[in-house]
Amino acid sequence: MTSIQDNDYKAKLIASVKKEVKQVMEESVTKKFVHEESGSVTSLCGAVEACLSQGLRRRALGLFKTSSTTALLHKIAKHSSEAALISKKVIDLENLDPNRRSSSSSDSTTKPVLMKNLSFQNVNLLPKYLWIRLALFEKQLSRIIDYLVTNASRYYDKDALVADPDYGSILSSLLVGPCALDYSRTKTADHFWTDPPADELLQRHRISSSHSTPPPVRRPIPNFRRSLNTSSDESTNRCQTQHLAKDYVESLHQNSRATLLFGKNNVLVTPPKAGQIEPMPGYLSLHQTANCLTIKWTPNQLMNGFTESDVPDKNIYWDYAIQVRLDEVVYVHCHQDVETGGTVILVGQDGVQRPPIHFPRGGHMLAFLNCLETGLLPHGRLDPPLWLQQSYATKNHKRKRPLPSLVENEDEPKDFVFRIVDSSNHKEISVKRHDLMNRNGHMVTKVRAQLGSSSTSSESSTKSFSIEQSCTINDGSNVCIQAVCESMKRQIISRAFYGWLAYCRHLSTVRTHLSGLVHGTIISGENAKEGLSEEKWAELFVEGVLNNPDEVYKLTYYGGVAHELRKEVWPYLLGHYKFGSTVSQREELSEQTKQAYETTMSEWLAVEAIVKQRDKETQANAIAKLSSESTSGEQVPPQIQRDLSNDVFEDISDYEFDSNEDLTDNEEKQKRMKKTEQNTVIYEGSDEEKQVNNETDALPDKLPQDDEEVNVDLENLRLTNSVLEEACSSTTEHNSQIEETDLRRFVGNVIVTNPSVDMSNFSMEIRRKSSLVALTEENGQSLECIETHGLVSPARSACVSPASSNGGVYSPELLETFGLNLHRIEKDVQRCDRNYWYFTCENLDKLRNVMCTYVWEHLDIGYMQGMCDLVAPLLVIFNDESLTYACFCHLMERMVENFPNGNAMDCHFANMRSLIQILDSEMYELMHSHGDYTHFYFCYRWFLLDFKRELVYSDVFSIWEVIWAAQQVASSHFVLFLALALLEIYRDIILSNSMDFTDVIKFFNEMAERHEAQAVLRIARELVLQLQLLIENK
Amino acid sequence: MATRKKVLLKVIILGDSGVGKTSLMNQYVNKKFSNQYKATIGADFLTKEVIVDDRIVTLQIWDTAGQERFQSLGVAFYRGADCCVLVFDVTAPNTFKSLDSWRDEFLIQASPREPTDFPFVLLGNKVDLEPRAISTKRAQQWCLSKNNIPYFETSAKEALNVEQAFQSIARNALTQQSQSVDLYNEFPDQIKLTNTTNRNSNGDSCAC
Ligand SMILES: Nc1nc2c(ncn2[C@@H]2O[C@H](COP(=O)(O)OP(=O)(O)OP(=O)(O)O)[C@@H](O)[C@H]2O)c(=O)[nH]1
Ligand SMILES: [Mg+2]
């Protein structure tokens, strides 16, 4: 073999292990357990075996046995404790004679490990890849392989897979997962009903399709399903465990129609047709169907044959198979023998004996009788009962215990005869049942499917239920069942009907609901396609008066506004200018707007100055704190500490400032406000230089308001003068830079007379023409005045009070709220459309001003991310702060509801859901099935910003004006149709790639600014018409 | 669905607005910094294939809006996260102070199976800027108090430590995920293992 072939082969081997590991892991996820004898476990073991066999140095190691990997295991057992453990188990299993072992094991069934071994008790049934299996179940496989990989040179050829540095470790790592699983031996009910591995399906098919076995009884009453668990007898449990260990075989017979009550392999029977004297081992099972109990015996050759090489004449074994209906049996003869176990002979009504059934030792016969007795209930019973009632016990000493003769360890052989007593109306019932079934056969099948699926989820409850059912149903059962079937039939039909009805109603409510989304009549777009062009504008705008709103809206909706006209038209569309207003009226309005805007601005600018100052101090504090941390370990000069505490405790009572923004009394006293004769406020501070030590006083670390941190800091503070000095000088430099740029904003209304600043001094003088700065002597006095936010605010001017030498003009809450907003605005303005030509630093300042003015006037709303995006296009069009501000206020009336405290977003999502359901069911199905994204979060940004981020600027203009005009022309919810249009444009891509939620998010985020706006608009307008049509036809 | 098939690690980046979440994500995935990034609205994610412990994994990094009012929206994206990256700005003390609430909110909303063991990573961003307000020590102390969260000081602008931070994020996400069996749903087509693979650490898990 060349090395390339070799490598290919190894890759294949690993790939197959990978595949099987995946299979097993998937099984464990979907079913929550993996059965020991599941086909996937076998395949995995096979794949592992193949890997381990490849390149094994058989000759050198003297491994000539058939299973050389088993021999290898025994060999490495000397060196690896894991291997030793498994090796011992394998030897134990192989050495045991099946019959002897079954009896010996019955003594120690309480040990789980041994019970596990039971699954391999018959040599015939010893599964393939035994040691790999065991190692897997004992969670040692990956470690054993690990050992082999690390010591590969000893056991493997150089080019073996295990010896390969990559493949070897892949192999062992692959098996870590399967080794972490717990494998179950017990098959739960759902294991029988749901996704059986292909192997099992094949086997089921093989047996049920065989001509020699009678067709399965058709009558299904799943409610009557019983399980072995109903017996509490110890030996029954033991036998149950044993037979459950072989449930792979049993599952062939366990199905939704018949309940398996008992099963035991290696039960010896001499088949009547076999013409041979030697009894054959086979599998005995007791089944309960709706109307009778059946005993089946199937030769081992049939049960196991499928794994071995196919014998062509295997069909003869089908003739040996035995099936006895219990209602044909009158007597059960039992013979108990210590040596051989027990024999049961069934005698029929005709007096003919069925072939003797020889049970192996281990209480199997008793278990069988027990199950038989349980199974006969409620229509039949064993006479005498297997379990005697107390009254009997007093009469007959011998029968105090459950048939002592049937208990093991009795020395002498015992014989016993039971009669099967039929309840009087048994025959009658079965006839009636057949009638019933014929009438309702079709329906019942459906019911079964339903019940079958539900039973899987509540397996345990079904079991307990079945016992009670069997006791209580007794006499009236025929009536009862018929009634049940009838009512089920009715229920199913009515459910289907109501389901359909509900669906129709739903659609109709959806339509009714959606009818609110579009106008009843939509103004037609005749002659409007070219939009509001210069010519049209000239026609409509007569002598400075715009009179025909309908025409303007219509033209805008169908064709947009010429770019040069937007500055004129948008204020109309947004409702700032009134249709029919004269030039002078509008001029007056503009003047008012401008005045009010400037007034408001001057208000917040004053507050901003204070906020800035406090920020600086905060910054300084933080730096000081930082340097204090970095120098921790050094001693605090005691003097400083004393000074600190004095200042702190005297001064803070006056200040409720935010924990970071602490001003000391000293500083405050330096702040002076003077009111000039011209209503100008002079805000000045002393220029005196401060000593480093004084500045230390201002450090927040010493302020007790700074709650927990302060405590820590007071302890840890180890300031040295030099460090502090250094820190302060650097900040001062930094701050003065900031301040200078900030203060430029005061130009116009505010004159800054003393821009030079040091760290803690509020040493600037502000002269204002407006009379609106509210200053008071005392903190908090002016609070109410400041809460009012009128554009023109006579109320506020009334609040103006003489300059304060004490500061604290605005309430701390107000300062803090506005400060917070200011920071947010600043951050977002800096990041607003920096790639668009308009937003130079100068224009960004305009944006910031508009934004701050809005927030100052609407502090209850506050700044929310996205608002800048909404201001920006307006500002680009108007390039006028006050007009932009006024129009933005109008825009926000609608948009504010989209932001987190409004509820419009949820409405949009709900409407989208309904719209898609009605207009594109295929898309709806996809969204619903693929991790359900019918919550439409991926549309969030679309609605929040009216598609501003989805499109390039020129397209944003087009889309926005259409949205505004649509309110008057077609729909107040035009954004929904734009969103729908976006989805519809990419519909095929979404569908063909069956995109899930994340795929859709990614797709649309990547498509931002790449959509074709005109197409989107066209489709959106069509969708409006489409919905209107649908609603009209309802 | 295509992204599902590989080993997919979902990482959520949280932190106050402006701390540099978007910048960090873009620096890591696209290797560039730009002052033209916009404030994040809604949520976005980028994916990147990385090799962690010799395994190819796909990182799906989710970037959400930082303003706390938008948190209610973010939670829709928290679910199924394998690691949560908390970011603050070393020059802005308030962004450090909100870390607790970001962390708490995440744990409440994402409700991971093992809240105490859920992997977080803390990034102190903008270390290129002066003056600094939060010292390394203070950040480390916070991390220590939160079950020893790994801490990295980064600069999205200067690409400082970004690669290392995300490598650690990926590794933490992977350990989180390998505790669930999702990992085995599909293996990367090519596994390149070297001898240095630390198999023992994997092997330990089978004893559980
Ligand atoms: N100097 C410096 N600036 C940075 C760094 N990282 C981000 N920035 C800047 O900080 C600002 C905010 O960055 P973003 O990445 O947008 O912040 P974000 O956390 O995504 O903010 P939201 O999306 O609002 O939550 C931008 O102006 C960036 O240029 C950094 O490492 N150093
Ligand atoms: Mg961002």
Side-chain angles (χ1 to χ4, degrees), chain A residues 828 831 865, chain B residues 15-23 33-35 37-40 63-66 125-126 128-129 154-157:
Chain A
D828 282 7
R831 292 181 287 170
Q865 285 194 303
Chain B
D16 279 1
S17 175
V19 294
K21 299 181 292 295
T22 306
S23 304
F33 176 80
S34 158
N35 63 352
Y37 296 134
K38 299 172 183 183
T40 308
D63 176 28
T64 52
N125 191 38
K126 305 199 190 180
D128 59 290
L129 282 188
T154 58
S155 163
K157 192 177 178 188

Side-chain angles (χ1 to χ4, degrees), chain A residues 261-272:
Chain A
L261 295 185
F262 177 85
K264 175 77 192 83
N265 68 335
N266 292 331
V267 174
L268 300 176
V269 169
T270 312

Side-chain angles (χ1 to χ4, degrees), chain A residues 570-602:
Chain A
W570 278 21
Y572 284 100
L573 293 176
L574 283 164
H576 181 54
Y577 293 164
K578 300 283 169 285
F579 283 94
S581 59
T582 61
V583 178
S584 60
Q585 278 173 330
R586 287 199 305 276
E587 267 169 7
E588 195 185 329
L589 178 67
S590 291
E591 192 50 42
Q592 276 174 9
T593 312
K594 197 174 159 69
Q595 285 267 305
Y597 179 77
E598 280 169 5
T599 308
T600 316
M601 220 176 121
S602 62

